[in-house]
Amino acid sequence: MTSDPQTALKPEQDPASDEAVHCWNLDDFEALDFDPFLHDRLREQRAARIRLPFGEGTAWLMARYADVKAATTDPRFSRRELVGRTITASSPHAIASMQASMNYADPPRLNDMRRVVARAFTGKSMQKLRPSVQQTADRLLDEMERHGSPADLMEHLHGPFPLAAVADLMGMPQDMRKDMTSWANLIMTPGPAPGKSADALKTVRECVVALLAMRREEQSDDLAGVLAAAADAGELTEPEAVSIATAILVSGAHAVRNNSANMVYALLTHPQHLERLRAEPELLPQAVDELLRFIPHRSGVGLPRIATRDIEIGGVTVKAGETVYSSYLAANRDPEVFPNPDTLDFDRGPIAHMAFGNGPHHCVGSMLARMESEIIISTLLDRYPKLALAVPPEQLEWQSGALIRGPKALPVSW
């Protein structure tokens, strides 16, 4: 942890509104530790006013499940209105172009863009992709075995595997994939080196432009081919196609890298849950959903929305033009929806968690991310009956300044 969160989070007073403002510094928490700031917000009956490390001004934070659901589905809250504004933020720059991204679009334009992307994210396309993704996992673990036990799962599996999966979906040639994982990690870890993060983003966008140009010469039904064809047909603009591909590539490579590592860490430090999955492999999809709900994958919050008119929500009046963040992490720990929310429980059954967001901006790649997580966990359990951490949990180091939490290394023995 970089600082004492209780010291960092003492509220100050906003002289303009007379509201308490919490300076949420997004301290680095380790392993499965849940941010106490979010726990505190869940105990309150109203939204909180916050200030984040970058940008200017303040924002409202919705934490309770019902408030998050309302804020992320109410059309009076707009992502499009973020364009051109300087707001308080978790990151010094946007991963996708603000002018041409699904992340910064509202319905009905957002719906048009999602329909295009959905052509590459069908159940049929996932079934078609699964054998090659499974082969990648097997090949990477074969290489890890040649290295010998103990070995670092981040290096041998969690790092290269998600990039390979999303690059396969994208139709990216092998020679374009070099250094892509490290670029994605830089982009998603802006705190320590915002300049390097911005340079990495520029490099990835240049690769995407080249890939779309290739797909115009050689058409295919992969994601790059779908986006290139949609741009040629006028369904998307060229900047939209580039921005969408960049965001999916970066988030797919980085987020699943860390999320899947967090899942394996959680299982290795919850041996009863691990053994239950070995005994009941049919429980895996349900277990993955509970791991997604339980693990605090993200640091801070994602993109906010702007109120287009005065709105009563979360026990406060959000005025037109004000910024509203919604914490999916906090919503996933709301005791009003999830009894004993701080307990990992594979018997919850079907759960409407918000790990992939909610509403019109629900993650388009959720189906792929689930498939990758299931393949990683099932393959590790099948191959390694004695899989265990190679060091005590307290000796693991965790990334600092990252938007997605994850271990720097995950040494295991088998």
Side-chain angles (χ1 to χ4, degrees):
M1 207 177 294
T2 57
S3 62
D4 179 357
Q6 299 307 317
T7 299
L9 297 175
K10 288 181 179 178
E12 60 186 46
Q13 211 69 20
D14 183 351
S17 64
D18 202 32
E19 286 276 354
V21 178
H22 300 269
C23 294
W24 191 13
N25 293 336
L26 307 184
D27 297 276
D28 293 315
F29 294 92
E30 298 183 346
L32 304 177
D33 293 344
F34 196 77
D35 190 336
F37 176 74
L38 293 179
H39 263 313
D40 289 345
R41 304 291 73 76
L42 284 169
R43 287 194 287 266
E44 296 176 351
Q45 296 302 308
R46 66 197 304 268
R49 180 85 77 167
I50 60 169
R51 178 177 289 116
L52 294 168
F54 299 96
E56 299 174 3
T58 63
W60 291 105
L61 175 68
M62 302 297 155
R64 294 182 301 171
Y65 190 97
D67 297 336
V68 169
K69 187 174 182 179
T72 53
T73 54
D74 192 322
R76 295 174 295 178
F77 290 109
S78 167
R79 283 275 184 85
R80 180 64 189 165
E81 289 296 318
L82 288 169
V83 178
R85 291 176 185 257
T86 301
I87 58 169
T88 188
S90 305
S91 170
H93 62 72
I95 293 171
S97 165
M98 292 190 75
Q99 285 75 24
S101 168
M102 285 197 302
N103 287 335
Y104 296 94
D106 295 328
R109 182 58 185 152
L110 171 63
N111 301 339
D112 296 338
M113 298 165 80
R114 288 180 66 93
R115 272 194 291 271
V116 170
V117 176
R119 294 170 193 163
F121 282 99
T122 63
K124 184 178 179 180
S125 66
M126 293 301 104
Q127 287 180 344
K128 182 179 176 182
L129 190 63
R130 189 169 191 126
S132 68
V133 175
Q134 180 66 63
Q135 288 172 7
T136 297
D138 292 336
R139 174 178 56 80
L140 291 171
L141 291 175
D142 287 345
E143 293 172 1
M144 186 178 81
E145 288 177 18
R146 286 193 286 273
H147 173 278
S149 177
D152 177 15
L153 277 179
M154 297 303 291
E155 175 187 350
H156 291 281
L157 181 63
H158 297 293
F161 176 78
L163 172 63
V166 75
D168 284 351
L169 177 81
M170 192 84 66
M172 177 174 283
Q174 290 294 332
D175 60 351
M176 270 193 175
R177 304 182 188 194
K178 187 177 183 296
D179 298 325
M180 191 63 70
T181 299
S182 60
W183 290 334
N185 293 339
L186 274 172
I187 292 165
M188 298 292 282
T189 313
K196 289 183 178 180
S197 179
D199 288 344
L201 179 57
K202 181 174 180 290
T203 301
V204 172
R205 281 183 178 150
E206 289 171 353
C207 287
V208 167
V209 169
L211 177 59
L212 294 181
M214 288 174 55
R215 281 295 167 266
R216 288 193 167 90
E217 296 179 4
E218 185 181 341
Q219 295 183 359
S220 68
D221 59 357
D222 52 44
L223 180 57
V226 166
L227 292 173
D232 288 348
E235 295 177 278
L236 297 175
T237 66
E238 183 69 11
E240 284 173 345
V242 172
S243 181
I244 290 168
T246 300
I248 290 174
L249 185 60
V250 170
S251 61
H254 180 81
V256 177
R257 170 187 187 268
N258 291 296
N259 292 353
S260 62
N262 292 334
M263 287 185 184
V264 172
Y265 171 83
L267 289 172
L268 293 177
T269 53
H270 290 73
Q272 289 182 325
H273 293 75
L274 181 67
E275 290 312 310
R276 184 169 179 200
L277 273 186
R278 289 192 190 280
E280 303 175 55
E282 70 279 2
L283 193 64
L284 183 56
Q286 188 171 312
V288 166
D289 263 342
E290 171 64 357
L291 287 163
L292 285 165
R293 180 204 68 81
F294 172 76
I295 295 171
H297 295 292
R298 172 176 282 280
S299 299
V301 280
L303 291 177
R305 292 163 175 80
I306 303 295
T308 57
R309 65 188 73 175
D310 291 0
I311 303 169
E312 298 289 332
I313 186 173
V316 301
T317 300
V318 177
K319 295 180 179 177
E322 289 188 325
T323 303
V324 174
Y325 281 95
S326 297
S327 174
Y328 298 126
L329 245 60
N332 282 342
R333 294 291 186 104
D334 188 340
E336 298 271 333
V337 180
F338 305 105
N340 300 314
D342 299 327
T343 300
L344 183 63
D345 182 2
F346 289 167
D347 289 318
R348 289 187 192 276
I351 51 174
H353 66 72
M354 294 189 181
F356 293 116
N358 185 66
H361 285 278
H362 183 273
C363 176
V364 294
S366 60
M367 196 183 302
L368 175 63
R370 276 192 175 91
M371 181 182 77
E372 292 177 72
S373 298
E374 290 178 13
I375 286 175
I376 285 175
I377 294 172
S378 63
T379 306
L380 287 173
L381 296 187
D382 287 345
R383 291 180 67 139
Y384 308 116
K386 297 182 179 180
L387 187 70
L389 287 176
V391 299
E394 59 272 16
Q395 290 186 16
L396 291 180
E397 291 187 51
W398 297 76
Q399 297 177 58
S400 61
L403 300 179
I404 306 292
R405 187 189 307 189
K408 289 183 178 179
L410 192 61
V412 295
S413 60
W414 59 89

